[in-house]
């Protein structure tokens, strides 16, 4: 049947049947290729970076905005530390927050915001 005119073709063979074996072969090859990829490859994510030595940090998403993440850190060491938050943003480019310098005993927070066209925050890391 011709989908544009709504009429049936008249003639010897159905023209759609001619390409059916080739389309089945392409479909089978695509399915085999998809199955050949390990299941962990599609769902694997990078392991979160360890908190830099001398810092104790809490990370999270903003209470009312799933695209804004933060790292709140305290310098428990004996030397000045610099840190920032790094957000893995899914479809949007990853972003880094502002660099925060902490003297021993000080606390501070770094925040960043993923692009709103993406899928939101996938992972929050603290970078030295």
């Amino acid at each position: 049947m011709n989908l544009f005119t709504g009429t049936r073709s008249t003639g010897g063979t159905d023209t759609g049947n001619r390409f059916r074996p080739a389309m089945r072969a392409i479909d089978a090859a695509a399915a085999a290729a998809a199955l050949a990829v390990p299941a962990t490859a599609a769902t694997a994510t990078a392991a979160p970076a360890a908190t830099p030595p001398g810092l104790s940090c809490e990370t999270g998403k903003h209470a009312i905005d799933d695209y804004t993440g933060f790292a709140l850190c305290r310098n428990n060491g004996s030397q000045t530390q610099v840190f920032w938050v790094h957000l893995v943003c899914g479809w949007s480019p990853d972003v880094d927050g502002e660099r925060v310098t902490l003297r021993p005993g000080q606390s501070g927070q770094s925040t960043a915001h993923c692009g709103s066209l993406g899928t939101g925050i996938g992972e929050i890391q603290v970078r030295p």
Side-chain angles (χ1 to χ4, degrees), residues 60 62 68-72 83-87 95-100 109-113:
H62 191 276
T68 301
F70 67 89
L72 176 61
F83 78 95
W84 62 92
V85 68
H86 175 80
L87 303 180
V95 292
D96 288 331
E98 67 278 1
R99 270 90 172 137
V100 178
Q109 179 173 311
S110 176
T111 59
H113 187 79

Side-chain angles (χ1 to χ4, degrees), residues 2-93:
N2 186 329
L3 296 177
F4 294 108
T5 62
T7 60
R8 293 183 186 261
S9 63
T10 59
T13 60
D14 183 9
T15 57
N17 288 337
R18 189 176 337 160
F19 299 106
R20 203 165 277 157
M23 292 305 293
R24 283 190 186 141
I26 291 172
D27 289 343
L35 293 175
V37 176
T40 56
T43 59
T45 57
T51 301
L55 292 176
S56 60
C57 300
E58 293 183 30
T59 61
K61 295 179 185 177
H62 191 276
I64 57 173
D65 181 7
D66 283 338
Y67 290 84
T68 301
F70 67 89
L72 176 61
C73 296
R74 177 175 173 78
N75 184 352
N76 294 326
S78 59
Q79 297 179 341
T80 299
Q81 297 264 357
V82 176
F83 78 95
W84 62 92
V85 68
H86 175 80
L87 303 180
V88 178
C89 294
W91 292 349
S92 295

